[in-house]
Amino acid sequence: MAQQNEGLDLTARDPNSLHGDIQVAFHDVLGEPDGTHSIDCLWTSSHTCFTCSKNCCYKFVSTLCGLCIAVAWGCEFALITFEAVWCFTPALKAYSIIMGINQRCFGILISCCLAPICETFGLCFSNISMKKM
C-alpha cells in the first residue's frame, strides 16, 4: 500500500487540471461592484465564514462518502478494463478476422462473376467510335 502512495503529491491534488472549471474561492463566487460596498468588517467576516464553511462541509462530506465512492469508481474502472481486455478486444479481433475472410470471399466472387461480364461489355463497347459530322 505504501508503494502506491509514494508518487502521490499531497499538495497538487489535481495535476491534470480535471477541475479547472470548478472555481469555489470566495473571490470567484462573490464580488461587490465599485460604488456598492458593504462595511469592511462584514466583507471580511463573510470571507471567513464562506471559506470555513466550504472547507468544513467539503471535508465532512468527503470523509463521510469519499472512501465508498472511491471504491465504487475503482470497481467501475476495473470492470471497464476487464471488459476491454477479456471481452471487447477479443471480440473485435474475431470480427476483424471474420470480416477479412468475408472480404476475400467477396473479392473472389466479384473477380469470378462480375469481372468477366465487365470485360465482355468493355470489349463490346470498345470498338464504338464517335465521329463528328
Side-chain angles (χ1 to χ4, degrees):
M1 188 68 111
Q3 283 182 326
Q4 289 179 341
N5 293 336
E6 283 180 9
L8 192 61
D9 186 356
L10 294 177
T11 305
R13 295 190 183 188
D14 190 11
N16 296 333
S17 297
L18 296 174
H19 301 290
D21 56 334
I22 303 175
Q23 296 295 322
V24 290
F26 181 78
H27 296 292
D28 295 323
V29 177
L30 297 171
E32 293 181 327
D34 289 338
T36 308
H37 289 181
S38 60
I39 55 176
D40 291 345
C41 67
L42 175 67
W43 190 247
T44 56
S45 298
S46 297
H47 177 271
T48 303
C49 288
F50 176 89
T51 305
C52 289
S53 62
K54 175 188 63 95
N55 291 341
C56 288
C57 184
Y58 180 78
K59 287 176 183 176
F60 175 74
V61 172
S62 61
T63 301
L64 194 64
C65 304
L67 291 177
C68 295
I69 292 172
V71 167
W73 280 116
C75 291
E76 177 70 23
F77 284 103
L79 291 172
I80 290 170
T81 304
F82 172 81
E83 289 171 341
V85 169
W86 293 100
C87 301
F88 299 142
T89 302
L92 286 173
K93 184 65 174 179
Y95 183 75
S96 175
I97 291 169
I98 291 168
M99 286 295 118
I101 293 168
N102 288 340
Q103 183 180 20
R104 282 186 280 172
C105 291
F106 186 70
I108 292 169
L109 181 68
I110 293 296
S111 65
C112 289
C113 298
L114 194 58
I117 295 170
C118 291
E119 286 177 27
T120 302
F121 277 112
L123 288 172
C124 290
F125 293 117
S126 67
N127 292 325
I128 297 175
S129 62
M130 303 283 283
K131 293 184 181 178
K132 199 175 191 180
M133 290 189 170

